[in-house]
Amino acid sequence: MVARISHRIDGKPWAGVAERAGDVFDPATGEVTGRVDFAASGEVDEAVSAAARAFQSWRNTSLAARARILFAFRQLLDEHRADLAAIVTAEHGKVLDDAAGEVGRAIENVEFACGIPALLKGGFSENASTRVDVYSIRQPLGVVGVISPFNFPAMVPLWFVPNAIACGNTVVLKPSEKDPSAANFIADLWARAGLPDGVLNVLHGDKVAVDGLLQHPGVRGISFVGSTPVARYVYETGTRNGKRVQALGGAKNHMVVLPDADLDLAADAAVSAGFGSAGERCMAISAVVAVGPVGDELVERIRTRMAKLRVGDGRRPGCEMGPLVTAAHRDRVTSYLDAGVDEGATLAVDGREHDIDGEPTGFWLGPTLFDHVRPDMSIYRDEIFGPVLSVVRAETYEQAVGLVNDNPYGNGTAIFTNDGGAARRFQNEIEVGMVGVNVPIPVPVGYYSFGGWKDSLFGDTHAYGPDGLHFYTRTKVVTSRWLDPSHGGVNLGFPRNE
């Protein structure tokens, strides 16, 4: 049965007739499981109008009342984490354990937002001048748009929505049209937690919906995660239309392995970080830089581990890596295998030959490993966003750092070493926003902030944590002077008999 997936506007499913719609697939079988409505300009206006109406009362809702709703939502999210993970697996394809981990990280961000009464405190200076006090307060922006990608349909919306709502904003969420059902499920949990109608609206669609949010005069801010070309477009279009924008783009994350590293730990990390979620992560390791003489042994250990990976339907017990999200994306990723060979890289493991525990109609590609990759090759330059790992040989530490710093992306990187001095030097010299030391995927916890440098981020603030709080509020400074009662006027003291 093909389900209809419609917008949620002003607290209820949208009942109109969609001019356009798109297919939603089960990536493990290739079967069409849903049809998602694509918003036209009229639906964009409806969603923004609903959020604008709700803002008038939500911004004045007490911090204590907001916190109670956030705590209730956190409880519901925890109770239904398995249901949400199943939705993610059914539409994205990642295995259930990976989907459950995604939901767990989302809950961390909700827990940070639950502390909003403590986070929204301003500053106060008494007697800045004689009997003049100066203080600052944080106030919400208004209606904000959140545009989230297909690879984390539960976690990325919950990077942004809880902070935005906690700060007193109202939200229009535009999830990926490839896996839209998680957003509707999350919106339903918010409603059950007591969130008033219109505070969170879900708008489905494609570029029409995105452009509608970027250009709508009623939208004050935009949070986006996606590829670098689209992130740049979102930032430039949104700011040109007077909006505050944070746009997180793509990545080409390196893992530097020094000669003194524990090679078993490094090989485990390379496989986990390269092929988890089928490589469809902006924090995936896609380039392993083997420094000095460790290359041959490291490649062999990675190859041995790859052969044991069980690729298949994420709902089947024991499967460790699922399919890619669509057939078109699978074919794009597969095209890089031939390109790498044509450019002179060694195809050490061909993912097209990996055994699959799933229906042959699924969007499959097994883990792939290239060796002797050069920086001029497309498999090194491009963000492939799939299960393709490239090994680059570097003679020295300095050469390895140069590779990372010369790359136009600056999202995440990692170093594997037992030398504390080398690790400290690396974290100081590397021009990347998130660094791991013997940690392959250095995604910060919820009370720090997520984001890269260079072409991986457009805007002034990172996602969630303290930066998220700053993004969703603007500071107002008040200077006040109150006359001393002795100045004259009404005397409210106890009457005296003269």
Side-chain angles (χ1 to χ4, degrees), residues 94 98 270-281 284 320-321 441:
K94 65 181 67 175
D98 200 1
V271 172
S272 298
F275 306 122
S277 196
E280 294 172 328
R281 292 173 173 163
E320 298 167 290
M321 189 184 106
I441 305 179

Side-chain angles (χ1 to χ4, degrees), residues 84-358:
L84 183 54
I87 292 171
V88 171
T89 294
E91 291 187 351
H92 174 271
K94 65 181 67 175
V95 299
L96 277 172
D97 282 350
D98 200 1
E102 172 182 347
V103 177
R105 293 307 299 266
I107 291 173
E108 284 185 14
N109 296 310
V110 178
E111 289 170 343
F112 173 82
C114 285
I116 201 65
L119 300 173
L120 283 185
K121 293 186 294 187
F124 191 96
S125 295
E126 185 180 31
N127 276 331
S129 185
T130 305
R131 288 190 295 274
V132 174
D133 303 327
V134 180
Y135 56 95
S136 64
I137 56 178
R138 290 190 173 277
Q139 293 187 326
L141 302 181
V143 178
V144 297
V146 173
I147 304 168
S148 62
F150 73 82
N151 59 324
F152 287 100
M155 184 180 73
V156 171
L158 293 175
W159 280 0
F160 301 114
V161 172
N163 277 345
I165 287 175
C167 290
N169 302 279
T170 55
V171 180
V172 179
L173 167 63
K174 208 300 284 182
S176 171
E177 66 277 18
K178 295 180 177 67
D179 43 13
S181 296
N184 281 16
F185 186 84
I186 289 169
D188 182 62
L189 294 183
W190 276 110
R192 291 173 56 186
L195 191 69
D197 292 348
V199 175
L200 173 61
N201 306 274
V202 180
L203 189 72
H204 295 292
D206 53 5
K207 189 175 184 295
V208 173
V210 171
D211 285 343
L213 293 174
L214 294 177
Q215 297 167 8
H216 199 291
V219 176
R220 304 291 182 173
I222 294 286
S223 298
F224 171 85
V225 177
S227 68
T228 286
V230 181
R232 181 181 286 111
Y233 171 81
V234 167
Y235 179 75
E236 293 175 352
T237 306
T239 53
R240 188 167 61 246
N241 283 275
K243 304 182 194 321
R244 182 180 290 189
V245 180
Q246 53 179 179
L248 283 68
K252 195 71 181 180
N253 303 318
H254 295 67
M255 187 178 104
V256 176
V257 182
L258 297 188
D260 70 319
D262 182 324
L263 292 189
D264 283 325
L265 176 66
D268 288 342
V271 172
S272 298
F275 306 122
S277 196
E280 294 172 328
R281 292 173 173 163
C282 66
M283 290 297 287
I285 292 296
S286 54
V288 174
V289 184
V291 180
V294 301
D296 289 344
E297 187 175 356
L298 179 61
V299 167
E300 186 55 37
R301 295 189 191 204
I302 292 173
R303 189 207 313 260
T304 299
R305 286 159 172 78
M306 290 171 63
K308 299 176 183 177
L309 284 180
R310 186 171 175 184
V311 179
D313 189 326
R315 293 158 295 208
R316 297 186 181 183
C319 287
E320 298 167 290
M321 189 184 106
L324 277 75
V325 68
T326 64
H329 184 58
R330 185 268 318 275
D331 294 344
R332 174 188 172 276
V333 173
T334 302
S335 70
Y336 279 98
L337 276 61
D338 292 329
V341 172
D342 292 342
E343 291 171 335
T346 301
L347 184 57
V349 178
D350 188 338
R352 293 168 294 195
E353 299 173 355
H354 203 95
D355 291 336
I356 303 298
D357 183 10

Side-chain angles (χ1 to χ4, degrees), residues 360-485:
T361 50
F363 308 141
W364 305 108
L365 177 64
T368 294
L369 179 65
F370 280 104
D371 193 9
H372 300 290
V373 175
R374 301 188 311 271
D376 63 301
M377 296 178 178
S378 62
I379 55 173
Y380 178 84
R381 295 192 315 269
D382 298 350
E383 184 185 27
I384 298 174
F385 219 64
V388 180
L389 188 62
S390 296
V391 176
V392 185
R393 308 295 184 103
E395 294 184 3
T396 64
Y397 165 87
E398 288 78 11
Q399 185 182 356
V401 170
L403 283 170
V404 180
N405 286 348
D406 288 344
N407 196 273
Y409 298 108
N411 206 45
T413 190
I415 186 169
F416 277 72
T417 179
N418 285 311
D419 185 335
R424 191 179 188 284
R425 179 182 174 189
F426 182 82
Q427 61 90 23
N428 180 60
E429 295 176 342
I430 213 71
E431 296 173 7
V432 173
M434 292 172 284
V435 180
V437 177
N438 297 319
V439 175
I441 305 179
V443 177
V445 293
Y447 43 89
Y448 281 81
S449 295
F450 179 103
W453 290 5
K454 299 187 283 190
D455 282 355
S456 295
L457 177 72
F458 300 87
D460 297 326
T461 58
H462 291 176
Y464 68 75
D467 274 18
L469 179 75
H470 288 290
F471 181 81
Y472 289 119
T473 58
R474 49 187 176 178
T475 302
K476 181 180 289 183
V477 179
V478 180
T479 302
S480 65
R481 176 175 180 267
W482 296 98
L483 297 179
D484 189 279

